[in-house]
């Protein structure tokens, strides 16, 4: 895939950046959203596809984007479809910083050094070209205002923005209530974006898949009526897929 087009993780991060303070809104859920946005971008590039509530690699050829290709390789190594909720819930230390550093190299943001409480060093990132952020925002505004089904990229971006809680950042207060509601409704316009957005929300709500064990020790589906929680794995590695139903070191 070419690099002339901004990726959905990059656009989600630019949406979350406060142009005045250089802080990111919803930093913890944003990390989940970035992992989910990678899945959507890989799907749009034809590398992965949804398989029920799982993600399957359909083409292992690199995209040319090092960060996306790292995620694609991890998915490929699994050898079988991975639950979206497990992938998104797996720790990915430094993912937000990776994207911020990339945006800085591309000239879209610049780092501002500072201190917290006059002692702890901090780094904030501010947009160098606010026109880019305005263009991204205008696509969401247009989809919300007109009701015309957006293109898949905008629909997926809207779904992820809602899932990570950016609605109140983008459309604050009582006057933004109807816009937040319509932002949420855009989730239905892209199946992959919807699957990933729901997985992001499930992880935030502690919903995962803890399987029952049968007599021969293999994983089975969760007991009916239960909503078990996800289990963490080693840093940088997605959680192990289960058989059953659907799972900062930067400016803040």
């Amino acid at each position: 895939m070419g690099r002339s087009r901004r990726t959905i993780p990059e656009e989600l991060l630019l949406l979350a950046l406060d142009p005045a303070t250089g802080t990111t809104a919803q930093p913890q859920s944003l990390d989940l959203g970035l992992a989910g946005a990678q899945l959507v971008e890989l799907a749009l590039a034809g590398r992965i596809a949804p398989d029920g509530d799982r993600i399957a690699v359909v083409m292992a050829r690199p995209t040319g984007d090092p960060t996306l290709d790292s995620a694609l390789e991890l998915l490929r190594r699994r050898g079988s479809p991975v639950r979206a909720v497990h992938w998104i819930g797996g720790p990915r230390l430094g993912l937000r910083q990776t994207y911020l550093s990339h945006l800085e190299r591309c000239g879209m943001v610049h780092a501002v050094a500072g201190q917290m409480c006059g002692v702890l060093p901090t780094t904030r990132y501010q947009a160098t070209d606010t026109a880019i952020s305005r263009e991204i925002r205008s696509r969401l505004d247009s989809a919300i205002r007109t009701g015309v089904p957006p293109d898949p990229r905008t629909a997926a971006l809207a779904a992820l923005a809602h899932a990570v809680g950016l609605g109140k950042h983008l459309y604050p207060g009582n006057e933004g209530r109807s816009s937040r509601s319509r932002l949420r409704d855009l989730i239905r316009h892209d199946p992959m974006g919807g699957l990933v957005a729901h997985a992001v929300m499930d992880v935030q709500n502690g919903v995962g898949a803890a399987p029952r064990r049968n007599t021969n020790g293999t994983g089975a589906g969760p007991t009916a009526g239960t909503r078990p929680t996800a289990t963490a794995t080693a840093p940088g590695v997605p959680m192990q897929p289960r058989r059953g139903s659907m799972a900062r070191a930067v400016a803040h």
Side-chain angles (χ1 to χ4, degrees), residues 10 13-14 98-109:
E10 292 164 5
L13 187 48
L14 286 170
T98 296
Y99 276 108
L100 283 168
S101 297
H102 171 73
L103 291 175
E104 184 180 19
R105 289 193 301 272
C106 293
M108 285 188 273
V109 302

Side-chain angles (χ1 to χ4, degrees), residues 64-75:
D65 181 306
T67 309
L68 290 176
D69 289 341
S70 177
L72 178 62
E73 176 62 14
L74 285 173
L75 286 166

Side-chain angles (χ1 to χ4, degrees), residues 83-122:
R83 289 188 177 212
V85 73
H86 279 166
W87 175 265
I88 291 167
R92 280 175 186 71
L93 300 179
L95 184 59
R96 192 171 8 132
Q97 181 62 60
T98 296
Y99 276 108
L100 283 168
S101 297
H102 171 73
L103 291 175
E104 184 180 19
R105 289 193 301 272
C106 293
M108 285 188 273
V109 302
H110 68 277
V112 179
Q115 289 183 328
M116 181 183 297
C117 301
V119 179
L120 299 175
T122 63

Side-chain angles (χ1 to χ4, degrees), residues 55-68:
I55 305 298
V57 174
V58 296
M59 183 191 300
R61 179 165 56 85
T63 67
D65 181 306
T67 309
L68 290 176

Side-chain angles (χ1 to χ4, degrees), residues 122-175:
T122 63
T123 303
R124 301 187 179 194
Y125 292 83
Q126 294 184 302
T128 56
D129 186 354
T130 57
I132 296 175
S133 297
R134 288 198 302 270
E135 183 274 326
I136 299 170
R137 173 69 179 271
S138 69
R139 283 163 38 211
L140 293 185
D141 291 345
S142 178
I144 287 173
R145 183 178 63 255
T146 65
V148 176
D151 63 274
R153 301 184 69 83
T154 301
L157 180 62
L160 287 161
H162 166 70
V164 303
L166 290 184
K168 291 183 179 181
H169 168 70
L170 299 170
Y171 308 103
N174 289 331
E175 65 274 17

Side-chain angles (χ1 to χ4, degrees), residues 235-252:
V237 179
M239 294 186 176
Q240 296 293 323
R242 305 287 189 179
R243 298 164 62 185
S245 65
M246 257 202 77
R248 174 168 100 128
V250 301
H252 47 271

Side-chain angles (χ1 to χ4, degrees), residues 7 11 70 140 168 180 183-185 211:
T7 65
E11 292 197 328
S70 177
L140 293 185
K168 291 183 179 181
R180 293 195 298 271
L183 179 71
R184 178 198 63 215
D185 292 343

